[in-house]
Amino acid sequence: MKNSLFISQNVPNTLVKKYNVSQAANNFCLHINELGYFSHHVAIPPANIDQNFQNQIEENTGIEYHLCRVFKHKGIGKAINIILDNIWLYFRILKAPEKNIWFYNVWTGNLLSYLLIHALSFKKVYILLADYNPARYNRWIGKSILWAIRQAKGVVSLSGRCNEVNHNFSCIPGIIPKSKISEQIGNFHRNKCFLLSGTLNKNTGIELALDVFKNIPEATLFLSGIISDDYKIKVEEICRKYKNIIYKGFFEKHSEYLDLLHSVDFTLSLRDPLSIVNHYNFPSKILETLAYNKIVISTIEYPELNGINYLCAPYDKKRLTTYIENLINTDSKSNTTITACLNNTEILIKKYSEEAWYDVFRSMENK
């Protein structure tokens, strides 16, 4: 009998763009939901979601979405609404039959409910930690969150570099359902096309990508996803001036994104290796891309990807430009590194598919 319940901040996929929610985080929690390990999934969407949101149990996923928007969602009214979200969640979990409660991250929006469940119930509370940034723990709220994480019965993290947060710690950097891992060797078109997708901001490399591909007119850079407000004008101007840089927008249909992904040869993950945020986090989109046996170029060498074939490049405009120029001008037929990157199927199934997650959940709950 299933005895575990999952709590996330998901929204229905159709609302990701409207509310500027991370598509990667939403997809990750959907994959966790599809595991079938949890008997129920309750989602309390982020604090920026307004009173127009409709509480519902989603028919195709079974996810129970709930928000309290009793007051106008601004200022003090917004703060009260968030407190009510937490109180509602506490009583919802209190009456749930499941003994093991898993939170997807602990943050200011769910900290109160987490502490109430931990202190005032007989439930065992665990955390699936996808967003750990020690820089935020310098303030009292951050320190409270870190203290709360340490009180959990256990933590499964997407990053193996924050194992000090809890005595019962395991790491799996992402989940890829076995059915979504391609058994076909990746197709290499030799078309010199690159893709940067997801949430497009400075931290995810949009500025570096623009600066590099302005200087490589023979290569094409496709951008897709949601652009942060501070880069929207710049991206529009550069796309008008440089015809090899093309913004495709946000794809409402995942199939349209996959069509673009399959049409390029290289995908980009351009994060600053010196940033404290990137030191402790792992971008799950890398695994999503590897599942299709596409070639990933990353500016960080991740210990979580030990044994996986991908390309590591420097996080520097001049050196990255030279790296990409050399890459597109190399005879790919004789490049064994590229050939290896087109087939990660076996190791992905072993390390990141459903069975690996079943094992880590069971192991942690049985300690």
Side-chain angles (χ1 to χ4, degrees), residues 290-329:
L290 287 169
Y292 295 101
N293 279 326
K294 302 301 294 184
I295 301 173
V296 172
I297 300 174
S298 172
T299 50
I300 295 179
E301 185 173 358
Y302 291 100
E304 294 88 349
L305 290 179
N306 184 39
I308 303 295
N309 297 304
Y310 65 108
L311 304 178
C312 290
Y315 186 82
D316 174 84
K317 174 186 172 182
K318 184 176 180 180
R319 292 167 61 206
L320 181 58
T321 300
T322 301
Y323 179 91
I324 290 176
E325 286 176 332
N326 290 338
L327 185 65
I328 62 178
N329 290 318

mmCIF file of all heavy atoms in Angstrom, residues 290-329:
data_model
loop_
_atom_site.group_PDB
_atom_site.id
_atom_site.type_symbol
_atom_site.label_atom_id
_atom_site.label_comp_id
_atom_site.label_asym_id
_atom_site.label_seq_id
_atom_site.Cartn_x
_atom_site.Cartn_y
_atom_site.Cartn_z
ATOM 1 N N LEU A 290 19.547 15.329 -22.875
ATOM 2 C CA LEU A 290 20.333 14.118 -23.077
ATOM 3 C C LEU A 290 19.443 12.910 -23.371
ATOM 4 O O LEU A 290 19.856 11.991 -24.075
ATOM 5 C CB LEU A 290 21.177 13.842 -21.826
ATOM 6 C CG LEU A 290 22.372 14.774 -21.592
ATOM 7 C CD1 LEU A 290 22.944 14.564 -20.195
ATOM 8 C CD2 LEU A 290 23.447 14.568 -22.651
ATOM 9 N N ALA A 291 18.220 12.947 -22.845
ATOM 10 C CA ALA A 291 17.304 11.819 -23.055
ATOM 11 C C ALA A 291 16.985 11.603 -24.528
ATOM 12 O O ALA A 291 16.628 10.496 -24.932
ATOM 13 C CB ALA A 291 16.017 12.047 -22.268
ATOM 14 N N TYR A 292 17.110 12.650 -25.318
ATOM 15 C CA TYR A 292 16.865 12.537 -26.762
ATOM 16 C C TYR A 292 18.168 12.305 -27.532
ATOM 17 O O TYR A 292 18.199 12.390 -28.757
ATOM 18 C CB TYR A 292 16.171 13.808 -27.272
ATOM 19 C CG TYR A 292 14.789 13.980 -26.692
ATOM 20 C CD1 TYR A 292 14.558 14.869 -25.645
ATOM 21 C CD2 TYR A 292 13.708 13.235 -27.165
ATOM 22 C CE1 TYR A 292 13.290 15.020 -25.090
ATOM 23 C CE2 TYR A 292 12.442 13.375 -26.626
ATOM 24 C CZ TYR A 292 12.237 14.272 -25.591
ATOM 25 O OH TYR A 292 10.990 14.409 -25.042
ATOM 26 N N ASN A 293 19.242 11.995 -26.792
ATOM 27 C CA ASN A 293 20.559 11.777 -27.386
ATOM 28 C C ASN A 293 20.997 12.964 -28.252
ATOM 29 O O ASN A 293 21.529 12.793 -29.362
ATOM 30 C CB ASN A 293 20.585 10.464 -28.173
ATOM 31 C CG ASN A 293 20.780 9.260 -27.257
ATOM 32 O OD1 ASN A 293 21.469 9.355 -26.246
ATOM 33 N ND2 ASN A 293 20.170 8.141 -27.600
ATOM 34 N N LYS A 294 20.742 14.155 -27.719
ATOM 35 C CA LYS A 294 21.246 15.377 -28.336
ATOM 36 C C LYS A 294 22.566 15.759 -27.662
ATOM 37 O O LYS A 294 22.827 15.400 -26.513
ATOM 38 C CB LYS A 294 20.239 16.522 -28.197
ATOM 39 C CG LYS A 294 18.870 16.236 -28.793
ATOM 40 C CD LYS A 294 18.935 15.929 -30.274
ATOM 41 C CE LYS A 294 19.382 17.130 -31.093
ATOM 42 N NZ LYS A 294 19.351 16.842 -32.568
ATOM 43 N N ILE A 295 23.372 16.514 -28.369
ATOM 44 C CA ILE A 295 24.676 16.912 -27.843
ATOM 45 C C ILE A 295 24.526 18.158 -26.970
ATOM 46 O O ILE A 295 24.014 19.187 -27.412
ATOM 47 C CB ILE A 295 25.670 17.193 -28.981
ATOM 48 C CG1 ILE A 295 25.841 15.950 -29.853
ATOM 49 C CG2 ILE A 295 27.027 17.622 -28.420
ATOM 50 C CD1 ILE A 295 26.667 16.174 -31.103
ATOM 51 N N VAL A 296 24.971 18.059 -25.722
ATOM 52 C CA VAL A 296 24.915 19.176 -24.779
ATOM 53 C C VAL A 296 26.298 19.803 -24.660
ATOM 54 O O VAL A 296 27.300 19.105 -24.480
ATOM 55 C CB VAL A 296 24.446 18.701 -23.393
ATOM 56 C CG1 VAL A 296 24.580 19.826 -22.362
ATOM 57 C CG2 VAL A 296 23.008 18.205 -23.456
ATOM 58 N N ILE A 297 26.340 21.121 -24.768
ATOM 59 C CA ILE A 297 27.559 21.885 -24.498
ATOM 60 C C ILE A 297 27.331 22.643 -23.196
ATOM 61 O O ILE A 297 26.448 23.487 -23.104
ATOM 62 C CB ILE A 297 27.881 22.879 -25.627
ATOM 63 C CG1 ILE A 297 28.081 22.143 -26.954
ATOM 64 C CG2 ILE A 297 29.114 23.705 -25.286
ATOM 65 C CD1 ILE A 297 28.262 23.071 -28.150
ATOM 66 N N SER A 298 28.109 22.336 -22.180
ATOM 67 C CA SER A 298 27.944 22.951 -20.865
ATOM 68 C C SER A 298 29.207 23.695 -20.457
ATOM 69 O O SER A 298 30.322 23.226 -20.714
ATOM 70 C CB SER A 298 27.615 21.884 -19.815
ATOM 71 O OG SER A 298 27.636 22.432 -18.514
ATOM 72 N N THR A 299 29.030 24.854 -19.809
ATOM 73 C CA THR A 299 30.173 25.605 -19.306
ATOM 74 C C THR A 299 30.543 25.184 -17.878
ATOM 75 O O THR A 299 31.450 25.768 -17.285
ATOM 76 C CB THR A 299 29.881 27.118 -19.331
ATOM 77 O OG1 THR A 299 28.609 27.357 -18.713
ATOM 78 C CG2 THR A 299 29.855 27.636 -20.766
ATOM 79 N N ILE A 300 29.825 24.206 -17.353
ATOM 80 C CA ILE A 300 30.168 23.639 -16.041
ATOM 81 C C ILE A 300 30.323 22.133 -16.204
ATOM 82 O O ILE A 300 29.495 21.472 -16.842
ATOM 83 C CB ILE A 300 29.079 23.931 -14.993
ATOM 84 C CG1 ILE A 300 28.964 25.439 -14.727
ATOM 85 C CG2 ILE A 300 29.384 23.211 -13.680
ATOM 86 C CD1 ILE A 300 27.900 25.813 -13.723
ATOM 87 N N GLU A 301 31.381 21.586 -15.618
ATOM 88 C CA GLU A 301 31.547 20.138 -15.601
ATOM 89 C C GLU A 301 30.900 19.620 -14.309
ATOM 90 O O GLU A 301 31.363 19.908 -13.208
ATOM 91 C CB GLU A 301 33.030 19.758 -15.635
ATOM 92 C CG GLU A 301 33.265 18.267 -15.740
ATOM 93 C CD GLU A 301 34.724 17.914 -15.938
ATOM 94 O OE1 GLU A 301 35.551 18.842 -16.025
ATOM 95 O OE2 GLU A 301 35.034 16.711 -15.988
ATOM 96 N N TYR A 302 29.806 18.890 -14.449
ATOM 97 C CA TYR A 302 29.008 18.479 -13.302
ATOM 98 C C TYR A 302 29.418 17.095 -12.793
ATOM 99 O O TYR A 302 29.389 16.124 -13.551
ATOM 100 C CB TYR A 302 27.529 18.443 -13.675
ATOM 101 C CG TYR A 302 26.923 19.795 -13.926
ATOM 102 C CD1 TYR A 302 26.737 20.269 -15.231
ATOM 103 C CD2 TYR A 302 26.533 20.611 -12.869
ATOM 104 C CE1 TYR A 302 26.176 21.526 -15.461
ATOM 105 C CE2 TYR A 302 25.971 21.868 -13.086
ATOM 106 C CZ TYR A 302 25.795 22.306 -14.391
ATOM 107 O OH TYR A 302 25.247 23.541 -14.611
ATOM 108 N N PRO A 303 29.790 16.998 -11.504
ATOM 109 C CA PRO A 303 30.089 15.660 -10.951
ATOM 110 C C PRO A 303 28.871 14.750 -10.974
ATOM 111 O O PRO A 303 29.005 13.525 -11.015
ATOM 112 C CB PRO A 303 30.531 15.976 -9.512
ATOM 113 C CG PRO A 303 29.990 17.335 -9.205
ATOM 114 C CD PRO A 303 29.970 18.066 -10.515
ATOM 115 N N GLU A 304 27.661 15.344 -10.970
ATOM 116 C CA GLU A 304 26.433 14.549 -11.023
ATOM 117 C C GLU A 304 26.271 13.826 -12.355
ATOM 118 O O GLU A 304 25.470 12.904 -12.471
ATOM 119 C CB GLU A 304 25.209 15.444 -10.796
ATOM 120 C CG GLU A 304 25.127 16.052 -9.411
ATOM 121 C CD GLU A 304 25.864 17.391 -9.303
ATOM 122 O OE1 GLU A 304 26.609 17.738 -10.246
ATOM 123 O OE2 GLU A 304 25.697 18.075 -8.294
ATOM 124 N N LEU A 305 27.033 14.264 -13.371
ATOM 125 C CA LEU A 305 26.943 13.652 -14.701
ATOM 126 C C LEU A 305 28.143 12.754 -14.996
ATOM 127 O O LEU A 305 28.478 12.505 -16.156
ATOM 128 C CB LEU A 305 26.834 14.740 -15.775
ATOM 129 C CG LEU A 305 25.529 15.528 -15.815
ATOM 130 C CD1 LEU A 305 25.582 16.589 -16.905
ATOM 131 C CD2 LEU A 305 24.335 14.612 -16.034
ATOM 132 N N ASN A 306 28.774 12.264 -13.956
ATOM 133 C CA ASN A 306 29.926 11.380 -14.135
ATOM 134 C C ASN A 306 29.525 10.157 -14.962
ATOM 135 O O ASN A 306 28.556 9.472 -14.650
ATOM 136 C CB ASN A 306 30.451 10.945 -12.768
ATOM 137 C CG ASN A 306 31.702 10.094 -12.888
ATOM 138 O OD1 ASN A 306 32.559 10.351 -13.721
ATOM 139 N ND2 ASN A 306 31.809 9.074 -12.058
ATOM 140 N N GLY A 307 30.265 9.923 -16.023
ATOM 141 C CA GLY A 307 29.973 8.791 -16.897
ATOM 142 C C GLY A 307 29.105 9.129 -18.088
ATOM 143 O O GLY A 307 28.953 8.317 -19.004
ATOM 144 N N ILE A 308 28.523 10.337 -18.096
ATOM 145 C CA ILE A 308 27.679 10.786 -19.209
ATOM 146 C C ILE A 308 28.546 11.501 -20.238
ATOM 147 O O ILE A 308 29.460 12.262 -19.894
ATOM 148 C CB ILE A 308 26.584 11.747 -18.715
ATOM 149 C CG1 ILE A 308 25.734 11.064 -17.635
ATOM 150 C CG2 ILE A 308 25.712 12.216 -19.870
ATOM 151 C CD1 ILE A 308 24.933 9.891 -18.109
ATOM 152 N N ASN A 309 28.261 11.291 -21.510
ATOM 153 C CA ASN A 309 29.018 11.937 -22.581
ATOM 154 C C ASN A 309 28.368 13.272 -22.974
ATOM 155 O O ASN A 309 27.233 13.293 -23.460
ATOM 156 C CB ASN A 309 29.085 11.022 -23.806
ATOM 157 C CG ASN A 309 29.827 9.736 -23.514
ATOM 158 O OD1 ASN A 309 30.967 9.748 -23.090
ATOM 159 N ND2 ASN A 309 29.161 8.601 -23.719
ATOM 160 N N TYR A 310 29.077 14.365 -22.716
ATOM 161 C CA TYR A 310 28.650 15.702 -23.138
ATOM 162 C C TYR A 310 29.900 16.554 -23.303
ATOM 163 O O TYR A 310 31.010 16.115 -22.973
ATOM 164 C CB TYR A 310 27.679 16.316 -22.129
ATOM 165 C CG TYR A 310 28.252 16.613 -20.759
ATOM 166 C CD1 TYR A 310 28.494 17.918 -20.348
ATOM 167 C CD2 TYR A 310 28.540 15.585 -19.856
ATOM 168 C CE1 TYR A 310 29.007 18.190 -19.084
ATOM 169 C CE2 TYR A 310 29.040 15.856 -18.598
ATOM 170 C CZ TYR A 310 29.276 17.148 -18.212
ATOM 171 O OH TYR A 310 29.791 17.415 -16.964
ATOM 172 N N LEU A 311 29.744 17.762 -23.843
ATOM 173 C CA LEU A 311 30.883 18.621 -24.129
ATOM 174 C C LEU A 311 31.000 19.722 -23.083
ATOM 175 O O LEU A 311 29.999 20.348 -22.720
ATOM 176 C CB LEU A 311 30.748 19.251 -25.514
ATOM 177 C CG LEU A 311 30.579 18.281 -26.697
ATOM 178 C CD1 LEU A 311 30.412 19.063 -28.001
ATOM 179 C CD2 LEU A 311 31.763 17.326 -26.796
ATOM 180 N N CYS A 312 32.205 19.980 -22.602
ATOM 181 C CA CYS A 312 32.459 21.064 -21.651
ATOM 182 C C CYS A 312 33.221 22.185 -22.360
ATOM 183 O O CYS A 312 34.218 21.928 -23.043
ATOM 184 C CB CYS A 312 33.262 20.564 -20.464
ATOM 185 S SG CYS A 312 32.332 19.478 -19.387
ATOM 186 N N ALA A 313 32.729 23.398 -22.205
ATOM 187 C CA ALA A 313 33.307 24.554 -22.891
ATOM 188 C C ALA A 313 33.592 25.654 -21.869
ATOM 189 O O ALA A 313 33.006 25.688 -20.785
ATOM 190 C CB ALA A 313 32.342 25.067 -23.959
ATOM 191 N N PRO A 314 34.492 26.591 -22.203
ATOM 192 C CA PRO A 314 34.830 27.665 -21.256
ATOM 193 C C PRO A 314 33.737 28.725 -21.147
ATOM 194 O O PRO A 314 33.058 29.037 -22.128
ATOM 195 C CB PRO A 314 36.108 28.262 -21.864
ATOM 196 C CG PRO A 314 36.031 27.938 -23.323
ATOM 197 C CD PRO A 314 35.337 26.613 -23.415
ATOM 198 N N TYR A 315 33.572 29.271 -19.949
ATOM 199 C CA TYR A 315 32.628 30.357 -19.720
ATOM 200 C C TYR A 315 33.363 31.680 -19.919
ATOM 201 O O TYR A 315 33.767 32.361 -18.972
ATOM 202 C CB TYR A 315 32.046 30.278 -18.315
ATOM 203 C CG TYR A 315 30.954 31.299 -18.048
ATOM 204 C CD1 TYR A 315 29.641 31.061 -18.452
ATOM 205 C CD2 TYR A 315 31.236 32.496 -17.409
ATOM 206 C CE1 TYR A 315 28.640 31.993 -18.222
ATOM 207 C CE2 TYR A 315 30.245 33.438 -17.173
ATOM 208 C CZ TYR A 315 28.951 33.182 -17.581
ATOM 209 O OH TYR A 315 27.965 34.120 -17.356
ATOM 210 N N ASP A 316 33.584 32.009 -21.170
ATOM 211 C CA ASP A 316 34.331 33.214 -21.539
ATOM 212 C C ASP A 316 34.001 33.531 -22.996
ATOM 213 O O ASP A 316 34.055 32.634 -23.852
ATOM 214 C CB ASP A 316 35.843 32.975 -21.373
ATOM 215 C CG ASP A 316 36.683 34.127 -21.864
ATOM 216 O OD1 ASP A 316 36.886 35.095 -21.100
ATOM 217 O OD2 ASP A 316 37.132 34.072 -23.041
ATOM 218 N N LYS A 317 33.642 34.766 -23.276
ATOM 219 C CA LYS A 317 33.185 35.130 -24.618
ATOM 220 C C LYS A 317 34.199 34.752 -25.699
ATOM 221 O O LYS A 317 33.848 34.068 -26.678
ATOM 222 C CB LYS A 317 32.905 36.635 -24.670
ATOM 223 C CG LYS A 317 32.561 37.144 -26.068
ATOM 224 C CD LYS A 317 32.441 38.666 -26.083
ATOM 225 C CE LYS A 317 32.299 39.181 -27.500
ATOM 226 N NZ LYS A 317 32.235 40.671 -27.537
ATOM 227 N N LYS A 318 35.436 35.159 -25.542
ATOM 228 C CA LYS A 318 36.443 34.923 -26.586
ATOM 229 C C LYS A 318 36.748 33.435 -26.728
ATOM 230 O O LYS A 318 36.780 32.894 -27.845
ATOM 231 C CB LYS A 318 37.715 35.705 -26.257
ATOM 232 C CG LYS A 318 38.782 35.612 -27.327
ATOM 233 C CD LYS A 318 39.978 36.497 -26.993
ATOM 234 C CE LYS A 318 41.054 36.405 -28.074
ATOM 235 N NZ LYS A 318 42.228 37.268 -27.746
ATOM 236 N N ARG A 319 36.962 32.761 -25.613
ATOM 237 C CA ARG A 319 37.330 31.347 -25.658
ATOM 238 C C ARG A 319 36.161 30.467 -26.111
ATOM 239 O O ARG A 319 36.348 29.479 -26.828
ATOM 240 C CB ARG A 319 37.847 30.900 -24.294
ATOM 241 C CG ARG A 319 39.183 31.535 -23.912
ATOM 242 C CD ARG A 319 39.501 31.321 -22.446
ATOM 243 N NE ARG A 319 39.611 29.903 -22.140
ATOM 244 C CZ ARG A 319 39.386 29.387 -20.937
ATOM 245 N NH1 ARG A 319 38.988 30.178 -19.952
ATOM 246 N NH2 ARG A 319 39.540 28.093 -20.727
ATOM 247 N N LEU A 320 34.945 30.842 -25.711
ATOM 248 C CA LEU A 320 33.781 30.060 -26.151
ATOM 249 C C LEU A 320 33.536 30.245 -27.645
ATOM 250 O O LEU A 320 33.176 29.298 -28.350
ATOM 251 C CB LEU A 320 32.538 30.477 -25.353
ATOM 252 C CG LEU A 320 31.240 29.721 -25.691
ATOM 253 C CD1 LEU A 320 31.403 28.220 -25.483
ATOM 254 C CD2 LEU A 320 30.074 30.243 -24.851
ATOM 255 N N THR A 321 33.761 31.458 -28.137
ATOM 256 C CA THR A 321 33.621 31.714 -29.573
ATOM 257 C C THR A 321 34.588 30.833 -30.365
ATOM 258 O O THR A 321 34.211 30.192 -31.352
ATOM 259 C CB THR A 321 33.899 33.192 -29.890
ATOM 260 O OG1 THR A 321 32.961 34.014 -29.173
ATOM 261 C CG2 THR A 321 33.764 33.465 -31.385
ATOM 262 N N THR A 322 35.840 30.788 -29.903
ATOM 263 C CA THR A 322 36.848 29.951 -30.562
ATOM 264 C C THR A 322 36.469 28.478 -30.481
ATOM 265 O O THR A 322 36.611 27.727 -31.461
ATOM 266 C CB THR A 322 38.226 30.167 -29.905
ATOM 267 O OG1 THR A 322 38.597 31.544 -30.014
ATOM 268 C CG2 THR A 322 39.290 29.309 -30.580
ATOM 269 N N TYR A 323 35.951 28.058 -29.323
ATOM 270 C CA TYR A 323 35.558 26.658 -29.132
ATOM 271 C C TYR A 323 34.472 26.263 -30.133
ATOM 272 O O TYR A 323 34.561 25.204 -30.780
ATOM 273 C CB TYR A 323 35.051 26.462 -27.698
ATOM 274 C CG TYR A 323 34.600 25.053 -27.378
ATOM 275 C CD1 TYR A 323 35.485 24.132 -26.851
ATOM 276 C CD2 TYR A 323 33.287 24.643 -27.614
ATOM 277 C CE1 TYR A 323 35.075 22.834 -26.562
ATOM 278 C CE2 TYR A 323 32.870 23.353 -27.337
ATOM 279 C CZ TYR A 323 33.775 22.458 -26.810
ATOM 280 O OH TYR A 323 33.378 21.166 -26.537
ATOM 281 N N ILE A 324 33.456 27.099 -30.278
ATOM 282 C CA ILE A 324 32.342 26.772 -31.179
ATOM 283 C C ILE A 324 32.792 26.833 -32.640
ATOM 284 O O ILE A 324 32.396 25.991 -33.452
ATOM 285 C CB ILE A 324 31.157 27.711 -30.918
ATOM 286 C CG1 ILE A 324 30.541 27.371 -29.552
ATOM 287 C CG2 ILE A 324 30.092 27.587 -32.022
ATOM 288 C CD1 ILE A 324 29.421 28.279 -29.131
ATOM 289 N N GLU A 325 33.626 27.804 -32.975
ATOM 290 C CA GLU A 325 34.154 27.871 -34.351
ATOM 291 C C GLU A 325 34.928 26.601 -34.696
ATOM 292 O O GLU A 325 34.766 26.045 -35.793
ATOM 293 C CB GLU A 325 35.048 29.098 -34.502
ATOM 294 C CG GLU A 325 34.283 30.408 -34.560
ATOM 295 C CD GLU A 325 35.198 31.622 -34.617
ATOM 296 O OE1 GLU A 325 36.332 31.531 -34.086
ATOM 297 O OE2 GLU A 325 34.789 32.657 -35.176
ATOM 298 N N ASN A 326 35.761 26.152 -33.778
ATOM 299 C CA ASN A 326 36.517 24.913 -34.015
ATOM 300 C C ASN A 326 35.583 23.711 -34.120
ATOM 301 O O ASN A 326 35.797 22.808 -34.946
ATOM 302 C CB ASN A 326 37.526 24.686 -32.886
ATOM 303 C CG ASN A 326 38.662 25.683 -32.904
ATOM 304 O OD1 ASN A 326 38.950 26.293 -33.942
ATOM 305 N ND2 ASN A 326 39.314 25.882 -31.768
ATOM 306 N N LEU A 327 34.536 23.712 -33.301
ATOM 307 C CA LEU A 327 33.602 22.590 -33.283
ATOM 308 C C LEU A 327 32.864 22.448 -34.609
ATOM 309 O O LEU A 327 32.750 21.342 -35.158
ATOM 310 C CB LEU A 327 32.596 22.798 -32.143
ATOM 311 C CG LEU A 327 31.606 21.666 -31.877
ATOM 312 C CD1 LEU A 327 32.332 20.412 -31.406
ATOM 313 C CD2 LEU A 327 30.583 22.103 -30.822
ATOM 314 N N ILE A 328 32.382 23.560 -35.160
ATOM 315 C CA ILE A 328 31.588 23.471 -36.389
ATOM 316 C C ILE A 328 32.461 23.287 -37.628
ATOM 317 O O ILE A 328 31.953 22.926 -38.694
ATOM 318 C CB ILE A 328 30.676 24.706 -36.562
ATOM 319 C CG1 ILE A 328 31.508 25.985 -36.685
ATOM 320 C CG2 ILE A 328 29.688 24.808 -35.430
ATOM 321 C CD1 ILE A 328 30.676 27.239 -36.913
ATOM 322 N N ASN A 329 33.763 23.512 -37.471
ATOM 323 C CA ASN A 329 34.671 23.345 -38.613
ATOM 324 C C ASN A 329 35.463 22.040 -38.558
ATOM 325 O O ASN A 329 36.322 21.793 -39.400
ATOM 326 C CB ASN A 329 35.648 24.527 -38.678
ATOM 327 C CG ASN A 329 34.937 25.812 -39.081
ATOM 328 O OD1 ASN A 329 34.092 25.821 -39.969
ATOM 329 N ND2 ASN A 329 35.262 26.906 -38.408
#
